[in-house]
Amino acid sequence: MGPLLSLLALGLSVAGASDETEVQLMAGAAEVIVNPLYPDTEGLETYGDLYTRTLVLGDGTQRVAIVTVDVGTLHFPFIKILLKSISHATGIPEGNIAVNWSHSHNATLIESGPYQKWLDSHIVRIVKEACDNLQPATICIGREPVQIAYNRRLMRDGQIVMAPNPKGAIVPWTDVLGAYSQDGERIGVLFSYAAHPVIVHFPKWPDPEPVYIGPDYPGYAVDHLHNLLDIDGKSKGVYMFAQGCSGNVNGFPLRGGVGAADAAGLSLAFAASRGLAEAKPIAAAPLKVHSLTISLPYRVPTVAECEELLVEDPENEDYHWLMDIAKSGGRRYEECPMFAFAFGDELCIVCLPGELFAEYQLFADKISPFAHSLVMGDTNGRVGYVATKKDYDLGHAGGYEASSKGRLSLDPSVEQVVQDGIRRLLMELKAM
């Protein structure tokens, strides 16, 4: 049957092969290692390679590019430059490009300026390579249950602490997208999961202790997926992990070490392989892209609240900063750009910035008018944590992600704002 199972064996047909439609689905993929290189990183150890990968999809008329990067965080200024660079090199509109980062806590060196420029050039190169290799394709989508994480917000003695909460929200599945060529060869696989990659969690360079650079469980998942799907040790296609809405979810166990991350990656890879085996081809349909920017309101403290904090700690600079904000009056907002694209009514990919709580991914999936929706968080810029109303209502007891003590937190009304934005984005995309 050849090096890969044929599309016939998978029960698939090539999109565009029938005269019933003029739409031809297209796909191309590429990847490159982007391990940071520094002249003064004594004590820096790499337990796994970092990659940037891309999957370009199209309908013969327009294209979208999905880029995944094994880094901790990508901020708006870098993303803005990167989108322009990709668009200039490929002709893909900036609004058609999604850059998702894995959020590995062992890959935070992106904060260095020199590395950003170097990374930018590598990402642009592979997106152009994927565009150059664009070919007729069948796109399949599937979903498989899996849990390698726990909600990390537990109420203890009237205060939210970071500990496993079995009753807390998680996204208990992986979405899997496969792209195949006309002869059944695998072009690329995109699989998603929502959980902080903090199973390997060591001090950050240049702290005095040795630092381990690596991709955490997402990297191991990709490696194991190769072992499960490749034939005779030969790589078939680009396999890429996309981070979901993981603001309140940790990979388990926190600080479990390299072996635990490897085991979690294996479980995720098994689920992704099962999801891919059961994935169904979508009908060839025109590509639709839609974007929307919403404003997230902050909760500005009152002068009286700040005075209480300063009585507690008169020298606290953060409390003085909050007092200045309280005295200035007015509202403060965070811009939150989101976008989504779809092929017909069957497949929609939703791209949300920053660390939204898992509840928002569950909400988007529930209300989506599309047959299958894959939701990515940590995409195209960082807006920080976006919690839910019940979390912000806890005030100072809201824990690491939602506490209002010593910092501006988003207003409890933000949950309704984000939900309304997601609903509007999806409904307007569906109507296009």
Side-chain angles (χ1 to χ4, degrees), residues 62 64 66 95-98 287-293 337-343 347-353 364 368-370 372-376 379-380 421-430 432:
Q62 63 172 327
V64 293
I66 303 170
N96 288 28
I97 304 168
L287 172 63
K288 303 183 291 186
V289 183
H290 187 49
S291 61
L292 178 69
T293 297
M338 57 179 70
F339 86 99
F341 64 88
F343 289 98
L347 170 63
C348 175
I349 296 184
V350 183
C351 306
L352 305 172
S368 175
F370 297 89
H372 195 112
S373 295
L374 187 157
V375 181
M376 300 192 300
T379 302
N380 283 12
I422 292 173
R423 181 183 287 105
R424 178 184 166 190
L425 176 71
L426 291 173
M427 297 307 171
E428 289 180 355
L429 178 64
K430 179 71 162 52
M432 291 177 63

Side-chain angles (χ1 to χ4, degrees), residues 52 107 134 199 288 362 407:
T52 182
L134 212 60
I199 300 177
K288 303 183 291 186
L362 298 173
R407 61 180 177 180

Side-chain angles (χ1 to χ4, degrees), residues 318-340:
D318 290 334
Y319 296 170
H320 282 283
W321 173 71
L322 286 176
M323 176 63 83
D324 291 340
I325 293 174
K327 289 180 178 179
S328 67
R331 296 297 299 270
R332 290 199 173 198
Y333 297 87
E334 177 85 29
E335 293 300 294
C336 178
M338 57 179 70
F339 86 99

Side-chain angles (χ1 to χ4, degrees), residues 69-260:
V69 197
D70 291 330
V71 295
T73 299
L74 296 177
H75 295 280
F76 282 116
F78 174 80
I79 290 292
K80 184 177 181 180
I81 295 172
L82 177 61
L83 297 185
K84 288 184 180 296
S85 299
I86 294 173
S87 181
H88 178 75
T90 65
I92 299 175
E94 294 178 36
N96 288 28
I97 304 168
V99 181
N100 175 277
W101 57 94
S102 68
H103 200 43
S104 169
H105 281 42
N106 305 137
T108 57
L109 293 181
I110 183 59
E111 297 169 4
S112 166
Y115 183 54
Q116 288 184 357
K117 294 179 181 179
W118 183 80
L119 181 62
D120 180 291
S121 66
H122 279 66
I123 293 175
V124 171
R125 177 166 64 83
I126 64 164
V127 178
K128 188 176 185 306
E129 179 182 338
C131 288
D132 292 341
N133 294 330
L134 212 60
Q135 58 182 300
T138 293
I139 298 173
C140 307
I141 189 70
R143 175 174 289 179
E144 183 71 15
V146 64
Q147 182 178 353
I148 59 169
Y150 280 94
N151 186 287
R152 70 185 198 179
R153 291 173 53 81
L154 181 68
M155 178 64 76
R156 181 180 294 162
D157 298 327
Q159 173 74 41
I160 292 292
V161 298
M162 190 174 291
N165 177 7
K167 297 181 180 180
I170 63 166
V171 180
W173 65 71
T174 177
D175 287 309
V176 189
L177 183 153
Y180 298 86
S181 68
Q182 287 184 314
D183 60 5
E185 294 290 310
R186 189 180 296 113
I187 298 170
V189 173
L190 174 71
F191 65 103
S192 67
Y193 190 69
H196 269 74
V198 289
I199 300 177
V200 183
H201 198 300
F202 295 104
K204 297 180 181 179
W205 179 82
D207 287 350
E209 297 184 35
V211 179
Y212 292 83
I213 300 299
D216 209 281
Y217 78 82
Y220 285 111
V222 170
D223 290 344
H224 285 302
L225 201 56
H226 276 290
N227 293 333
L228 292 169
L229 299 181
D230 292 350
I231 305 298
D232 298 327
K234 297 180 181 179
S235 178
K236 295 295 182 181
V238 172
Y239 305 160
M240 45 199 291
F241 168 88
Q243 184 60 257
C245 295
S246 61
N248 55 344
V249 182
N250 273 351
F252 185 82
L254 173 64
R255 294 185 174 89
V258 171

